[in-house]
Amino acid sequence: MLKLERINSYYGGAHILKDLSLDVQKHEVVALLGRNGAGKSTTMKSIMGLILPKSGTITYNNQAISNLASHQICQCGIGYVPEERRIFADLSVEENLEVGRRSSQTGPINWQKEDLFDLFPNLAERRTQRGGNLSGGEQQMLTIARTLMGNPSMLLLDEPSEGIAPVIVEQLAKAIKGVKAQGLAILLSEQNMHFARLVSDRTYIIEQGSIRYEGSFSDLDQHPNIWKQYLAL
Amino acid sequence: MGFYLAQLLTGLANASSLFLIASGLSIIFGVTRIVNFAHGSFFMIGAYLAYSCVTWFDVGILGFWGSMLFAALCVAVIGGVIEILLLRRLYKSPELFQLVATFGIVLVVQDIALAIWGAEDLLGPRAPGLDRAVRILGEPIPEYDLALIVIGPLVLGLVWLLFHRTHWGILVRAATQDREMVAALGVNQQWLFTSTFMLGSFLAGLGGALQVPRESVSLLMDLSIIGEAFVVVVIGGMGSVTGAFIAAILISVLNSFGILLFPSISLLLPFLVMAVVLIVRPWGLLGKPGSGHGAPEAPQDPLRLLGKRAIWAWALILAALLTLPLADDGFLLVLMVDVLIAILFAASLQFLMGVGGMVSFGHAAYFGLGAYGAALCVKYANISMEFALVAGPVIGALGALFFGWFCVRLSGVYLAMLTLAAAQILWGIAFQWQDVTGGDDGILGLWPSEWASSQSAYFYLTLVLCSIGLMLLRRIAHSPFGYVLRGGRDSALRIEAIGLDLKAHQWMGFALVGGLAGLAGVLFAFSKGSIFPDSLSIPHSVDALIMVLLGGIQSLIGPILGAVSFILLEDWISRLDYWRFIFGTIILLIVVTAPNGLAGLLAPLWHKRRQRSGKGQSQ
Amino acid sequence: MSILTIEGLSKSFGGVEAVKNVSFTLNEGEFLALIGPNGAGKSTCFNMINGYLKPDKGKLLLQPQESKSRNLVGKKPRQIWRWGVGRTFQITATFASMTVRENVQMALISHHKKSFNLWARASHLDRDQAEQLLEKVSMLDMAGQACSELAYGDLKRLELAIALAHDPKLLLMDEPTAGMAPSERTALMELVAQIVKDQGLSVLFTEHDMDVVFEHADRILVLNRGELIAQGTAEQIRNDALVQEVYLGGGSVFAKETANEAHHAET
């Protein structure tokens, strides 16, 4: 469904992604694991057209998207949930959802606000509040809900569990499984192994801008040396 | 009592039309980050179109209000076309380009309006049904003023509904906060920008149209309103419509009472209010801290001291200029004095912008301060030219110290807007404080001392002083002080992290360029024998910006190239009919096609030559 | 002897406590690392020490035992620099429109208080001293190059030379190896270690590359959710259960892995 081939991306003068390749199949949740600074966010931004890769190709449903503008990439059906969340702080919860609303159906279901309030009950209680007044966990739910309003067929989730209380992380995992059950593919970047294990089917490990390992969590458990080398302290 | 109420109501009526234009400006800035100078032109077109509609189809109340709306809609379409054809190319350019480009539009529109509606002021009919005055507490209040007082809040309410109850409006508010994220959510920014620009233009057009029954429509409407509109936007907070409303009321009401209480300082009031607001809230009443910067500027090449050959070349040029009076026909000397003064003026601005990274949209303030300062000293203290040549720069520098103190607290467009407002205030004083400055009639009878009164002597004087000014600027650009300013332009963070107070250096930099611009002003005043308020006006500030842009902002030679070509071009074009149109078009072409100016166009040739000679040496 | 003592440092942003009651000391000549997951409060902590943020509560004392002890709370970054604290940034901050040498000369000009001089040629001032500093970071051969042409790793070294210009007692380095290739990382940190040893500097740095941290830090502080949860040597931190929990989101994973290892060892 999504395929990255030999992507090279730079940030400022720094070479961040080095010949990075990965793919995500339909209905699959893939976790991109790695330490801080390994290149997870840059991968997400490169897919979304927020950073232009210097070389390499990105295809989505066999269509090349590496030269498209971000709004066109979104219109292809990729929904992006940034690490910094980037809530519109002055807009209410409902208005934030409204910004994400797109009428064309590029994904398996046509999300309505009420569906999302069912998926994230915390947001329902706060629908008229300013986005800036939400807690970190609620903001995270709001960004995901906002992106779902665009009816994507695939989600890019950049470190959704970061800085969020454990109880909320559980709720988030439940919601993501719910989204997956609706037939969306998800590429998830994570440092929280516990969370990634709960939701994902397959993992990539990224280190210094390249993929170093690919496989399922159960395979990964068989390779403690990989754990140690790329993820553990 | 009734009298004060009448003043209050007049103030509120004025506030409505000021609010309309300022809110449009603010909305456009919030989303596109463009400081739209042409907004005053949209206001003017709105007035002209409404005048034409109302006079052609004289069809009662419905026809009148229909004409107002129709005129505003036409302006919205014109704004949309301009956005698509021109501004789209400039969203990623530095502020300077955007400003100069929108000023190019101002010039083009002025001549189009001149061609269609003629040069005479047009007095429109009164609004049907609202053409009388009602007595409130014994004072006559025009009914139309009361209507305007209702229209202001009504439009505010409608805009509020648009922004809170429609999908489009919510997108606009979101884009004001984070454009990139809105794009990542699938919104095509281009159309969002275009439609926002059209809404802003519509509001400006409506503001202009509604003025038709109150004041005569003229070609001066554009620039007379834009300065005040900028002040309102800055006070209200850029991007905030409600802020613009509050600020418009504040300024207009203060104005109408200020004129009663202290007629002589009432012109300073908007600036004083703005200064107070910016000290307490640097982003305006309802504004949010945010980036006021256009695209980041590319790093410049490291400075190089002049080589031996270059020094000889300049010495030769100087020597050639010294012999000019021998071959002179009089006309050439006068033109050269203009050129030299323009060079010094442009070079002082280039130092501030290119070296210091501070964009000034109101550099004429210091030119004019120097000129007026010297002229007033001559007029009232009867001092000699020699003394005036010292007094002018000192006054320019003091003025720059005063305004600079506020300016260096801001950066990017915020700083630029403040410099513009400062210049507008000074212009207002020069224009309206007739007893002292002579108002529109200016100050006459400024003659050079006996020894410098011949054309060639004055040329030598100008040549010497301008050369000293230029050498001084160059020397300072290479000095530790100049390096600190350059460094601050590259990385303010690093300047602070090596223990330096950037603002203090920038403040002194302001004073320095203020003094040199002031010197250019004095030389100008004595070369013409008179000084008029237009030396402080927005067009004069923009002249300096165009010279810097023509020459290329990066190079120290830029202002020389820019000023020479600008003066020669102006000298030639201004003899033609519709020269504003031609000149505006040239500006637009340059901004779009040669973003690095003449120096930028020549640089590749220079590099090639150097490379070639470099290769030659290595072989 | 302590060069920097921090007591009860706290900072909130809009009700969220970014740093909670953090206390530690940095000893003279020590190479101290501050680590933690994203959002743990490292940058907030760092920015309070170098003056970019004002703490809500707490003490920041430079050279607490000396008579000239300085309280850094509420001081501007430039003041803190004048008291002998140098710093490098996560994303390098240099003067792109100048040469490499001029970048260092700027710091020297500031140190010698010549920044308001309008007449001297800046590029001629303190030239030798600037070149000595460049020599220290092995960049003398690049002295005349435009800073905008440097590779990222060289910019990092240049920042180091700038930071050393006023002969600081304390060096603050925010993510010194961010964005560098692995070989460059090691080289840079070895260079820093060498300079620290030669000049008796003390260094506080944040870092996300654990190899760098474990290899070079004398001592490590771990922040999580704004709180200091552990401090100690590389070995102590590596084996700290709480730290593992924070970094890997559950000790269970690690427990299982060690169980596996034990199993392998038995067979």
Side-chain angles (χ1 to χ4, degrees), chain B residues 414-483:
Chain B
Y414 295 92
L415 186 157
M417 293 281 245
L418 197 52
T419 57
L420 179 93
Q424 271 308 87
I425 300 304
L426 288 174
W427 175 82
I429 293 174
F431 190 74
Q432 287 188 18
W433 200 10
Q434 222 151 13
D435 301 342
V436 178
T437 65
D440 205 13
D441 300 329
I443 298 175
L444 307 175
L446 304 166
W447 301 116
S449 298
E450 190 63 38
W451 61 268
S453 59
S454 76
Q455 270 180 1
S456 50
Y458 200 77
F459 167 76
Y460 283 128
L461 176 70
T462 312
L463 180 63
V464 168
L465 289 179
C466 289
S467 303
I468 291 175
L470 284 183
M471 283 192 260
L472 195 65
L473 279 176
R474 198 182 161 83
R475 181 94 202 187
I476 293 173
H478 283 278
S479 75
F481 178 75
Y483 266 61

Side-chain angles (χ1 to χ4, degrees), chain B residues 108-119 219 578:
Chain B
V108 170
V109 168
Q110 271 182 350
D111 266 2
I112 293 177
L114 175 66
I116 298 177
W117 286 285
L219 292 167
Y578 297 113

Side-chain angles (χ1 to χ4, degrees), chain B residues 299-300 302 305 475-476 478-481 483-484 486-487 489-491 493-494 496-501 505, chain C residues 52 77-78 81-82 87 89 93 95-99 102 106 110 114-115 117-122 124-125 159:
Chain B
Q300 303 175 357
L305 294 170
R475 181 94 202 187
I476 293 173
H478 283 278
S479 75
F481 178 75
Y483 266 61
V484 172
R486 262 171 81 84
R489 178 189 161 286
D490 281 352
S491 171
L493 194 64
R494 176 49 74 189
E496 183 80 25
I498 55 170
L500 294 170
D501 183 351
H505 289 80
Chain C
Y52 285 93
R78 57 175 184 267
W81 182 86
R82 294 235 172 255
R87 67 161 305 181
F89 294 91
F95 305 124
S97 310
M98 298 182 193
T99 64
E102 285 167 352
M106 287 297 290
S110 170
K114 289 186 265 195
S115 72
N117 185 329
L118 297 178
W119 200 248
R121 305 284 195 194
H124 294 171
L125 290 175
E159 264 209 327

Side-chain angles (χ1 to χ4, degrees), chain B residues 316-342:
Chain B
L316 272 176
I317 292 175
L318 201 61
L321 284 174
L322 283 170
T323 61
L324 191 69
L326 302 177
D328 163 52
D329 59 349
F331 165 77
L332 200 58
L333 279 186
V334 172
L335 190 64
M336 274 315 293
V337 167
D338 282 356
V339 167
L340 287 168
I341 290 169

Side-chain angles (χ1 to χ4, degrees), chain B residues 167-527:
Chain B
H167 182 68
W168 179 85
I170 290 169
L171 289 185
V172 169
R173 282 165 59 219
T176 306
Q177 292 175 43
D178 189 343
R179 293 192 266 176
E180 197 184 53
M181 192 61 226
V182 172
L185 288 168
V187 178
N188 185 344
Q189 290 200 29
Q190 282 196 335
W191 289 110
L192 191 63
F193 282 23
T194 307
S195 49
T196 306
F197 202 83
M198 288 177 74
L199 174 68
S201 311
F202 174 85
L203 290 171
L206 187 62
L210 290 174
Q211 283 302 93
V212 169
R214 300 184 85 209
E215 61 173 311
S216 55
V217 184
S218 77
L219 292 167
L220 297 175
M221 283 178 97
D222 52 355
L223 290 183
S224 63
I225 190 87
I226 193 72
E228 215 166 331
F230 278 147
V231 170
V232 167
V233 171
V234 171
I235 291 179
M238 297 204 209
S240 166
V241 178
T242 316
F245 184 74
I246 297 170
I249 289 185
L250 193 67
I251 292 293
S252 300
V253 172
L254 271 175
N255 252 342
S256 58
F257 285 104
I259 284 174
L260 297 180
L261 298 175
F262 336 88
S264 54
I265 74 152
S266 73
L267 291 160
L268 270 175
L269 266 181
F271 182 74
L272 292 179
V273 176
M274 185 163 121
V276 171
V277 169
L278 289 180
I279 292 171
V280 185
R281 294 185 61 92
W283 315 104
L285 291 175
L286 298 181
K288 296 249 154 52
S291 164
H293 291 272
E297 285 168 57
Q300 303 175 357
D301 290 337
L303 284 182
R304 245 174 249 167
L305 294 170
L306 282 180
K308 272 218 177 81
R309 267 212 236 141
I311 291 176
W312 276 112
W314 284 114
L316 272 176
I317 292 175
L318 201 61
L321 284 174
L322 283 170
T323 61
L324 191 69
L326 302 177
D328 163 52
D329 59 349
F331 165 77
L332 200 58
L333 279 186
V334 172
L335 190 64
M336 274 315 293
V337 167
D338 282 356
V339 167
L340 287 168
I341 290 169
I343 289 176
L344 182 58
F345 184 37
S348 67
L349 179 61
Q350 193 272 342
F351 185 88
L352 192 68
M353 291 176 50
V355 176
M358 292 177 279
V359 179
S360 169
F361 287 176
H363 204 53
Y366 313 109
F367 183 93
L369 262 182
Y372 265 98
L376 290 172
C377 286
V378 171
K379 188 174 166 192
Y380 292 105
N382 210 9
I383 58 168
S384 64
M385 181 192 78
E386 292 79 9
F387 190 68
L389 279 170
V390 178
V394 169
I395 292 168
L398 288 177
L401 270 183
F402 175 73
F403 291 124
W405 190 85
F406 299 101
C407 291
V408 297
R409 275 158 180 70
L410 302 171
S411 69
V413 225
Y414 295 92
L415 186 157
M417 293 281 245
L418 197 52
T419 57
L420 179 93
Q424 271 308 87
I425 300 304
L426 288 174
W427 175 82
I429 293 174
F431 190 74
Q432 287 188 18
W433 200 10
Q434 222 151 13
D435 301 342
V436 178
T437 65
D440 205 13
D441 300 329
I443 298 175
L444 307 175
L446 304 166
W447 301 116
S449 298
E450 190 63 38
W451 61 268
S453 59
S454 76
Q455 270 180 1
S456 50
Y458 200 77
F459 167 76
Y460 283 128
L461 176 70
T462 312
L463 180 63
V464 168
L465 289 179
C466 289
S467 303
I468 291 175
L470 284 183
M471 283 192 260
L472 195 65
L473 279 176
R474 198 182 161 83
R475 181 94 202 187
I476 293 173
H478 283 278
S479 75
F481 178 75
Y483 266 61
V484 172
L485 290 182
R486 262 171 81 84
R489 178 189 161 286
D490 281 352
S491 171
L493 194 64
R494 176 49 74 189
I495 285 286
E496 183 80 25
I498 55 170
L500 294 170
D501 183 351
L502 181 60
K503 284 190 179 14
H505 289 80
Q506 288 178 329
W507 192 31
M508 289 304 124
F510 242 89
L512 174 80
V513 299
L516 287 169
L519 176 61
V522 188
L523 287 170
F524 178 80
F526 280 101
S527 78

Side-chain angles (χ1 to χ4, degrees), chain C residues 113-178:
Chain C
K113 301 201 169 138
K114 289 186 265 195
S115 72
F116 278 104
N117 185 329
L118 297 178
W119 200 248
R121 305 284 195 194
S123 55
H124 294 171
L125 290 175
D126 307 315
R127 209 177 160 109
D128 298 341
Q129 211 182 336
E131 289 184 351
Q132 279 168 20
L133 283 159
L134 286 172
E135 174 103 68
K136 270 189 201 165
V137 296
S138 331
M139 284 183 74
L140 190 52
D141 50 332
M142 301 180 202
Q145 252 179 8
C147 180
S148 57
E149 293 165 2
L150 291 188
Y152 197 68
D154 293 334
L155 280 177
K156 288 272 183 186
R157 281 194 289 158
L158 173 57
E159 264 209 327
L160 185 58
I162 296 173
L164 294 172
H166 66 317
D167 206 5
K169 305 185 260 285
L170 170 61
L171 191 56
L172 302 172
M173 304 179 84
D174 197 0
E175 306 264 348
T177 71

